[in-house]
Amino acid sequence: MGLLAFLAKLADWRRRDQLSGELDEELNFHRAQLERDGGAGHARRRLGNLTRLKEETRDMWSIPWLDQLQQDARYALRGLRRSPGFAATVIVTLALGIGANAAMFGVVDRLMFRPFAYLKDPDTVHRVYLRWHDRGTVRTDNWMEYTRFLDLQKWSSAFSQYAAFADRNDAVGVGDAARERPVAVVNASFFDFFDAPPALGRYFTASEDSLPRGADVVVLGNAFWQSEYGSRNVLGTVLQVGDMHLTIIGVTPRGFAGVAEGEAPAVYLPITTYAGSRRGNQGTTYYRTYNWGWMDFMVRRRPGVTVTQASADLSQAYVRSWNAEAATDHIAPASVAKPEAIAGALKEAAGPDPGLEARTALWVSGVALIVLLIACANVANLFLARALKRQREMAVRLALGVSRGRLLRQMLTESLLLAFIGAIAGVLVAQWGGAGIRGLLISKEGASLAVIADWRTLGIVAGAAVVAGVLTGLAPALITRRELATALKAGTREGTYQRSRLRTGLLVAQGALSVLLLVGAGLFVRSLERVKAMRMGYDADPVLFVERNNRGVNLDDSALVRLNLSLLDAAQRLPGTEHAALNTTLPFWSTSSTSLFITGIDSVRRLGRFTFQQATTDYFRVMGTQILRGRGFTPEDRASAPRVMVVSDGMARRLWPGKDALGQCVRVRADTMPCTTVVGIAENIVERDLTGTDRFNYYMPLEQDHLDFADGLLLKMRGDARAQQEAVRGALQKLMPGASYVTVQSFGDVVDGQRRSWRMGATLFVAFGLLALIVAAIGIYGVIGYNVAQRMHELGVRIALGAQSGDVVKLVLGQGMSFALTGIGVGLILALVVARFVEPLLFHESAKDPAVYAGVGLVLLAVAMLACALPALRATRADPNAALRGDS
């Protein structure tokens, strides 16, 4: 049958009741005509068997399998209406399992797989990652210098398009309208990667993105254009971004965000305009030196070039670039560093070295899948128990001629119907219950994403519903294989208890998988506790970080010094301030390094990366960093005094092993500089990586260098620092000249962001672990409850023979506990097997922590006992008289 014929028949099938009525009218008309002409006998002879005629005619618009499906669906609905408790339990269980997976798929899809909006041929576009060996460690990074980008572009040939890009936060607008917003700085070629014609105006051209500094032009993001300009024509208007005054030349189309994975950029400006506007040497040397790694690099493969060939082509270009850098700087030769470049996924989370958050998200996705498996096992067990109770009904239907295939189709129809209702409820769970997951893993904006309108997620939900429906519907089909005679002889004892290895196996599997998830939850909770308890070398929570932004207000060095000192003085006089200090860098925010020269050491740089902080006298009091030996800074450490520094304990041990670092001479920036004497040893601080072991830091007084270098303040506050942010900002903003401004942020928030992956893992593992525990508890309760219902006759007989209530309770609890203990044992073994895969995600926590394993076992035992308690109490109410009458 062709498609058109099938569609025509389908249309007839949908209006078959109307056609049947029309057929009856037509036949009645003809019979009346024939009876008028020749009588009833004549009409019967002419028309023949009307029943057969109607059936043959109806077969022309009938689709048998659709008719049977409709009948099966109606039968299933009638059965579910008779068992509302069973239907509700199945729907809720599947809704939780499917909803959890829908929520996690939506997150992981956006993090790793979903192409960026408007991107042309996404399979051919790659982000470039660089990998090299550094003192025995293999490092992978996607940030690079603009000079490196020019080298790779010049010396590679496997690509048809190249673009550099970077995401920044900067002040956009002037006056009260000025806000820190996401800013995209990109090559002009960036827009060529997308099929996204501007909604207004044009994009900037290569001539406007030229070295050494591009043109003062900007393209607005669509959402920013609508919210700030009301979608009016703003072409030619000047917009201030940072300290740049840029002319608006275009607006991106609705929904365009480039390659931003969080909030869409408010504006797009030429990358050379941004870099060329940087103050100091950075703005004039960014394209000639290799000391500012700040941007990413994307490429498009030429037709016919494989990913492997593209990476090989990039690697040879990177080796040439490495050698070019080695000719001007003291870095390891290429033969030692083994540099290679990788044409990897455009989304970092799917790249060659995904971060801890991305790896945790993948594990949590696996956890969500396990929750679905537990839900399916639970529902299959419920269906199986229900089928055992209905086996005489099935035997009677088989005896009356119904085929086993038809019975199987009815069971599958019922399970699929419940699965799809559960899937609809699961979508609602994913939409509202998953908002917290999306906000935690993607962004605050991601929390509001519409799962209901996401066809990729809905497709996964539909697939999960089909799989769940088939898995849960096939289990009771095994009951139909029982001998007819045996089932029919059950008589009044239909539903008496029968042991089932399949039901036992499903229940044990639920318990084992629940143990696995709860062990993961316990390990992540312990990791989070350890990372919170870790001494980081400072007290972050009471500290506020004040950043000064000049925004084009030109101040000479002396004016900057006066401004910095006035800000410091004003900060010290604020009511909530305990101590204040000017500073140049901040852990997890920015770092600085320079060349160091020490007598007896050929190359200090080869011993590690030593970062420095310049700050005023009270720095150590503000941060709470302890001085282990020697002293910190004093007011006597002025420009005219001998130069001094404080080094971290790790740096002292690295540079002067077995010696006292106090009094050592270090020459900073050049070997011709005078000695800077080590006067103090400070505790190690965590600066860039919580899990790293290198703690090489040193500190120098700003008063001995340039007070104008400071562009920030650190304030140690009394009370809640976060609650005082706005008051501090308002007080210090009054001192800022012109369009310049200050921003204030809690240093505790900065540090807390570094704990995000462990907090995320603990939160989601606990949430899904508890969900699995609830589902498993429902499963134990349901199965034990069905067992008790089937054994009521047996239990009545036991009571009639003298069994006490305690004996009955012990019998039921013993069965439930045996299931639970077996599941716990299997689950603990599984947890030990996967422990080595989970351990890299943990923080200073063994994946085989016996306290976690023991705690999880006890929790599941307690939950299993509670789940069995109610059926056990119900069992004590078995009626011995009814049992004896049944045996009479």
Side-chain angles (χ1 to χ4, degrees):
M1 182 186 297
L3 177 61
L4 292 178
F6 174 77
L7 292 176
K9 191 168 186 179
L10 181 61
D12 288 342
W13 179 83
R14 293 184 60 184
R15 58 190 188 97
R16 59 192 180 280
D17 291 338
Q18 175 187 346
L19 293 174
S20 182
E22 293 175 356
L23 176 62
D24 288 340
E25 290 181 5
E26 184 75 13
L27 289 174
N28 289 336
F29 172 78
H30 284 292
R31 183 171 58 189
Q33 292 293 324
L34 291 170
E35 287 177 350
R36 188 188 63 187
D37 295 340
H42 173 69
R44 283 196 297 271
R45 288 192 299 273
R46 293 291 303 272
L47 290 175
N49 190 332
L50 286 181
T51 301
R52 180 178 178 182
L53 180 62
K54 288 180 180 180
E55 289 178 353
E56 290 176 350
T57 305
R58 284 168 182 156
D59 284 343
M60 297 178 63
W61 62 68
S62 174
I63 302 178
W65 65 270
L66 272 179
D67 291 333
Q68 290 181 3
L69 179 62
Q70 187 179 51
Q71 292 169 9
D72 292 343
R74 288 174 177 170
Y75 179 81
L77 286 172
R78 287 196 300 270
L80 296 177
R81 281 198 296 269
R82 290 194 299 269
S83 306
F86 169 81
T89 302
V90 170
I91 290 170
V92 170
T93 303
L94 289 178
L96 293 175
I98 293 174
N101 280 269
M104 283 309 304
F105 172 80
V107 168
V108 172
D109 186 38
R110 284 176 172 84
L111 280 176
M112 298 184 177
F113 308 119
R114 185 183 301 249
F116 291 102
Y118 295 99
L119 185 65
K120 292 186 292 189
D121 300 325
D123 292 340
T124 66
V125 180
H126 303 275
R127 189 186 297 254
V128 176
Y129 300 85
L130 304 180
R131 180 174 288 166
W132 69 98
H133 292 70
D134 181 17
R135 299 188 300 277
T137 301
V138 179
R139 300 185 181 275
T140 303
D141 204 349
N142 50 284
W143 280 21
M144 66 182 69
E145 308 83 357
Y146 197 86
T147 310
R148 185 89 64 204
F149 161 70
L150 295 176
D151 288 347
L152 297 181
Q153 185 177 16
K154 176 172 58 177
W155 289 324
S156 63
S157 59
F159 308 98
S160 59
Q161 290 178 310
Y162 304 80
F165 61 95
D167 296 322
R168 289 289 184 268
N169 282 315
D170 214 333
V172 178
V174 294
D176 293 339
R179 296 286 186 279
E180 289 269 345
R181 300 181 187 274
V183 173
V185 291
V186 302
N187 280 139
S189 56
F190 177 84
F191 297 103
D192 296 335
F193 282 79
F194 301 88
D195 185 12
L200 183 68
R202 63 179 179 83
Y203 298 128
F204 43 84
T205 63
S207 62
E208 293 169 316
D209 175 37
S210 57
L211 298 172
R213 186 185 186 282
D216 290 329
V217 294
V218 66
V219 174
L220 304 185
N222 195 282
F224 176 75
W225 173 54
Q226 292 183 41
S227 63
E228 300 301 315
Y229 292 98
S231 302
R232 69 177 185 271
N233 190 337
V234 291
L235 300 181
T237 304
V238 174
L239 175 67
Q240 187 170 355
V241 179
D243 56 5
M244 299 168 286
H245 292 80
L246 309 173
T247 301
I248 300 172
I249 62 170
V251 177
T252 64
R254 184 188 297 272
F256 179 81
V259 292
E261 298 187 38
E263 184 180 355
V267 296
Y268 301 78
L269 60 144
I271 196 168
T272 55
T273 301
Y274 173 82
S277 301
R278 304 283 291 180
R279 63 188 180 94
N281 292 333
Q282 217 169 46
T284 57
T285 63
Y286 73 93
Y287 59 94
R288 294 186 281 116
T289 62
Y290 298 90
N291 56 7
W292 183 25
W294 61 286
M295 41 150 281
D296 282 78
F297 179 21
M298 60 191 288
V299 293
R300 184 185 298 279
R301 283 183 287 117
R302 293 184 183 278
V305 176
T306 65
V307 176
T308 302
Q309 292 169 337
S311 294
D313 182 56
L314 278 171
S315 293
Q316 63 82 26
Y318 184 30
V319 170
R320 294 181 65 179
S321 179
W322 186 279
N323 291 332
E325 181 184 4
T328 61
D329 204 348
H330 298 288
I331 62 172
S335 58
V336 174
K338 301 177 182 178
E340 64 172 316
I342 302 166
L346 191 55
K347 295 200 170 186
E348 291 183 70
D353 188 23
L356 193 57
E357 288 184 20
R359 286 182 282 142
T360 303
L362 281 178
W363 272 92
V364 173
S365 299
V367 166
L369 185 59
I370 291 175
V371 171
L372 180 59
L373 291 176
I374 294 173
C376 287
N378 188 344
V379 172
N381 225 334
L382 292 174
F383 268 101
L384 195 57
R386 186 166 179 257
L388 282 168
K389 195 173 181 179
R390 297 171 58 192
Q391 59 184 317
R392 188 170 183 273
E393 171 200 336
M394 296 180 188
V396 170
R397 295 178 67 190
L398 287 171
L400 292 175
V402 177
S403 68
R404 293 183 186 273
R406 183 63 188 277
L407 273 182
L408 177 60
R409 284 199 302 272
Q410 285 188 345
M411 294 175 188
L412 281 176
T413 301
E414 185 178 43
S415 62
L416 286 170
L417 180 63
L418 283 172
F420 275 103
I421 296 173
I424 294 170
V427 170
L428 301 180
V429 169
Q431 178 62 49
W432 288 290
I437 297 176
R438 294 189 294 276
L440 188 62
L441 289 172
I442 305 176
S443 64
K444 292 180 181 178
E445 294 75 21
S448 61
L449 292 173
V451 174
I452 297 174
D454 183 358
W455 291 106
R456 290 164 69 96
T457 301
L458 292 179
I460 291 296
V461 167
V466 170
V467 171
V470 171
L471 288 178
T472 56
L474 285 178
L478 300 175
I479 303 302
T480 64
R481 299 179 64 85
R482 189 181 176 197
E483 290 295 329
L484 285 180
T486 304
L488 291 170
K489 287 177 183 178
T492 59
R493 296 199 189 172
E494 176 192 358
T496 53
Y497 176 65
Q498 300 174 45
R499 294 185 182 275
S500 169
R501 291 181 181 178
L502 178 58
R503 294 175 63 199
T504 301
L506 290 171
L507 197 59
V508 168
Q510 291 179 61
L513 293 175
S514 298
V515 167
L516 188 63
L517 299 194
L518 289 172
V519 167
L523 293 174
F524 268 98
V525 168
R526 291 291 293 268
S527 285
L528 184 60
E529 290 174 349
R530 290 181 185 278
V531 75
K532 285 182 176 179
M534 175 186 181
R535 173 64 185 171
M536 305 183 74
Y538 38 73
D539 302 321
D541 286 337
V543 176
L544 292 179
F545 171 51
V546 181
E547 187 176 19
R548 173 176 53 77
N549 298 271
N550 284 355
R551 289 208 78 194
V553 176
N554 294 318
L555 301 174
D556 58 26
D557 292 348
S558 60
L560 276 176
V561 171
R562 289 194 298 272
L563 176 59
N564 282 341
L565 290 177
S566 65
L567 289 170
L568 178 61
D569 180 63
Q572 289 171 330
R573 288 189 282 105
L574 291 173
T577 302
E578 189 172 337
H579 298 289
L582 292 168
N583 72 302
T584 56
T585 64
L586 189 70
F588 304 116
W589 189 275
S590 61
T591 60
S592 294
S593 62
T594 189
S595 300
L596 299 178
F597 300 88
I598 299 174
T599 302
I601 299 178
D602 177 51
S603 173
V604 173
R605 181 170 181 175
R606 291 183 182 177
L607 295 177
R609 186 172 186 267
F610 301 88
T611 61
F612 70 88
Q613 166 73 280
Q614 290 180 286
T616 51
T617 304
D618 278 350
Y619 174 80
F620 295 105
R621 295 186 185 92
V622 172
M623 296 293 285
T625 302
Q626 300 173 12
I627 301 298
L628 304 179
R629 299 192 305 279
R631 66 175 178 86
F633 303 149
T634 68
E636 285 70 36
D637 295 323
R638 301 186 180 92
S640 57
R643 300 177 69 84
V644 297
M645 71 164 50
V646 175
V647 301
S648 67
D649 185 57
M651 178 173 174
R653 295 176 185 275
R654 184 72 167 181
L655 296 180
W656 299 285
K659 300 179 182 178
D660 188 358
L662 293 176
Q664 296 287 347
C665 169
V666 180
R667 302 183 189 278
V668 182
R669 297 190 182 93
D671 56 5
T672 57
M673 293 291 289
C675 276
T676 298
T677 304
V678 178
V679 298
I681 310 297
E683 67 175 315
N684 293 329
I685 68 166
V686 180
E687 186 180 45
R688 298 187 304 275
D689 182 5
L690 291 177
T691 59
T693 56
D694 290 350
R695 302 289 188 251
F696 306 148
N697 312 92
Y698 59 102
Y699 311 85
M700 297 181 293
L702 260 173
E703 292 89 345
Q704 291 192 335
D705 208 330
H706 295 281
L707 279 168
D708 58 300
F709 282 2
D711 54 10
L713 276 168
L714 294 172
L715 280 65
K716 183 176 183 180
M717 310 302 293
R718 301 182 188 93
D720 185 357
R722 293 173 177 86
Q724 302 177 66
Q725 286 181 224
E726 184 56 31
V728 170
R729 191 202 66 78
L732 299 183
Q733 179 61 44
K734 297 175 183 177
L735 302 176
M736 299 300 292
S740 61
Y741 66 98
V742 294
T743 57
V744 181
Q745 184 167 355
S746 165
F747 184 40
D749 289 341
V750 174
V751 172
D752 196 48
Q754 303 302 311
R755 304 179 179 126
R756 172 184 164 94
S757 60
W758 293 285
R759 185 174 65 251
M760 178 185 76
T763 301
L764 295 180
F765 262 87
V766 167
F768 286 133
L770 291 177
L771 183 60
L773 188 61
I774 292 170
V775 172
I778 293 173
I780 294 174
Y781 169 79
V783 170
I784 299 300
Y786 265 116
N787 286 352
V788 168
Q790 290 176 337
R791 300 180 71 177
M792 290 301 279
H793 177 272
E794 171 200 339
L795 294 171
V797 172
R798 287 176 180 269
I799 293 173
L801 294 176
Q804 301 297 312
S805 296
D807 298 325
V808 174
V809 170
K810 188 183 300 183
L811 177 68
V812 176
L813 286 180
Q815 185 185 39
M817 290 300 99
S818 66
F819 292 154
L821 286 170
T822 306
I824 290 169
V826 174
L828 293 177
I829 293 172
L830 281 175
L832 288 171
V833 170
V834 301
R836 64 189 183 92
F837 302 107
V838 178
E839 194 147 7
L841 303 177
L842 305 176
F843 184 82
H844 298 170
E845 168 68 17
S846 170
K848 299 178 180 179
D849 188 335
V852 171
Y853 284 62
V856 167
L858 291 174
V859 166
L860 195 61
L861 270 180
V863 170
M865 186 169 292
L866 288 174
C868 295
L870 189 59
L873 291 175
R874 190 184 304 123
T876 62
R877 294 195 291 269
D879 185 356
N881 294 323
L884 293 176
R885 282 196 301 270
D887 281 334
S888 60

